[in-house]
mmCIF file of all heavy atoms in Angstrom:
data_model
loop_
_atom_site.group_PDB
_atom_site.id
_atom_site.type_symbol
_atom_site.label_atom_id
_atom_site.label_comp_id
_atom_site.label_asym_id
_atom_site.label_seq_id
_atom_site.Cartn_x
_atom_site.Cartn_y
_atom_site.Cartn_z
ATOM 1 N N GLY X 317 97.493 73.733 96.414
ATOM 2 C CA GLY X 317 98.693 74.543 96.206
ATOM 3 C C GLY X 317 99.799 73.730 95.554
ATOM 4 O O GLY X 317 99.836 72.508 95.692
ATOM 5 N N SER X 318 100.683 74.420 94.830
ATOM 6 C CA SER X 318 101.776 73.693 94.175
ATOM 7 C C SER X 318 103.079 73.931 94.947
ATOM 8 O O SER X 318 103.190 74.891 95.714
ATOM 9 C CB SER X 318 101.939 74.163 92.729
ATOM 10 O OG SER X 318 102.396 75.492 92.734
ATOM 11 N N ALA X 319 104.076 73.050 94.712
ATOM 12 C CA ALA X 319 105.346 73.143 95.443
ATOM 13 C C ALA X 319 106.053 74.445 95.074
ATOM 14 O O ALA X 319 106.679 75.086 95.899
ATOM 15 C CB ALA X 319 106.219 71.945 95.111
ATOM 16 N N GLU X 320 105.936 74.840 93.799
ATOM 17 C CA GLU X 320 106.606 76.078 93.386
ATOM 18 C C GLU X 320 105.574 77.180 93.152
ATOM 19 O O GLU X 320 104.585 76.979 92.445
ATOM 20 C CB GLU X 320 107.402 75.843 92.100
ATOM 21 C CG GLU X 320 108.191 77.071 91.743
ATOM 22 C CD GLU X 320 109.184 76.827 90.605
ATOM 23 O OE1 GLU X 320 109.627 75.686 90.437
ATOM 24 O OE2 GLU X 320 109.466 77.786 89.901
ATOM 25 N N ILE X 321 105.813 78.313 93.785
ATOM 26 C CA ILE X 321 104.886 79.448 93.617
ATOM 27 C C ILE X 321 105.542 80.446 92.662
ATOM 28 O O ILE X 321 106.710 80.823 92.841
ATOM 29 C CB ILE X 321 104.582 80.097 94.991
ATOM 30 C CG1 ILE X 321 103.914 79.049 95.911
ATOM 31 C CG2 ILE X 321 103.693 81.321 94.836
ATOM 32 C CD1 ILE X 321 103.781 79.474 97.366
ATOM 33 N N HIS X 322 104.814 80.840 91.621
ATOM 34 C CA HIS X 322 105.374 81.773 90.631
ATOM 35 C C HIS X 322 105.105 83.214 91.047
ATOM 36 O O HIS X 322 104.008 83.528 91.502
ATOM 37 C CB HIS X 322 104.752 81.526 89.252
ATOM 38 C CG HIS X 322 104.827 80.100 88.834
ATOM 39 N ND1 HIS X 322 106.017 79.432 88.712
ATOM 40 C CD2 HIS X 322 103.861 79.197 88.538
ATOM 41 C CE1 HIS X 322 105.785 78.184 88.348
ATOM 42 N NE2 HIS X 322 104.480 78.015 88.246
ATOM 43 N N PRO X 323 106.078 84.097 90.870
ATOM 44 C CA PRO X 323 105.848 85.503 91.246
ATOM 45 C C PRO X 323 104.793 86.155 90.344
ATOM 46 O O PRO X 323 104.620 85.754 89.194
ATOM 47 C CB PRO X 323 107.219 86.147 91.037
ATOM 48 C CG PRO X 323 107.973 85.239 90.145
ATOM 49 C CD PRO X 323 107.406 83.870 90.290
ATOM 50 N N GLN X 324 104.139 87.132 90.883
ATOM 51 C CA GLN X 324 103.013 87.788 90.197
ATOM 52 C C GLN X 324 103.001 89.255 90.524
ATOM 53 O O GLN X 324 103.135 89.603 91.692
ATOM 54 C CB GLN X 324 101.707 87.280 90.820
ATOM 55 C CG GLN X 324 101.193 85.989 90.356
ATOM 56 C CD GLN X 324 100.886 86.076 88.921
ATOM 57 O OE1 GLN X 324 99.972 86.799 88.536
ATOM 58 N NE2 GLN X 324 101.646 85.390 88.125
ATOM 59 N N ASP X 325 102.797 90.113 89.552
ATOM 60 C CA ASP X 325 102.557 91.523 89.866
ATOM 61 C C ASP X 325 101.054 91.703 90.053
ATOM 62 O O ASP X 325 100.270 91.126 89.289
ATOM 63 C CB ASP X 325 103.024 92.419 88.718
ATOM 64 C CG ASP X 325 104.548 92.363 88.564
ATOM 65 O OD1 ASP X 325 105.225 91.874 89.494
ATOM 66 O OD2 ASP X 325 105.043 92.796 87.504
ATOM 67 N N ILE X 326 100.679 92.472 91.040
ATOM 68 C CA ILE X 326 99.242 92.790 91.140
ATOM 69 C C ILE X 326 99.050 94.288 91.364
ATOM 70 O O ILE X 326 99.897 94.952 91.951
ATOM 71 C CB ILE X 326 98.487 92.003 92.246
ATOM 72 C CG1 ILE X 326 99.004 92.358 93.626
ATOM 73 C CG2 ILE X 326 98.494 90.518 92.036
ATOM 74 C CD1 ILE X 326 98.005 92.032 94.722
ATOM 75 N N THR X 327 97.920 94.758 90.861
ATOM 76 C CA THR X 327 97.538 96.158 91.068
ATOM 77 C C THR X 327 96.107 96.155 91.583
ATOM 78 O O THR X 327 95.217 95.594 90.929
ATOM 79 C CB THR X 327 97.615 96.933 89.736
ATOM 80 O OG1 THR X 327 98.964 96.854 89.262
ATOM 81 C CG2 THR X 327 97.224 98.390 89.890
ATOM 82 N N THR X 328 95.891 96.737 92.731
ATOM 83 C CA THR X 328 94.526 96.748 93.260
ATOM 84 C C THR X 328 93.688 97.758 92.480
ATOM 85 O O THR X 328 94.192 98.792 92.040
ATOM 86 C CB THR X 328 94.511 97.127 94.755
ATOM 87 O OG1 THR X 328 95.031 98.454 94.899
ATOM 88 C CG2 THR X 328 95.355 96.173 95.585
#
Side-chain angles (χ1 to χ4, degrees):
S318 67
E320 185 170 333
I321 299 170
H322 308 301
Q324 278 298 293
D325 293 345
I326 64 159
T327 300
T328 62

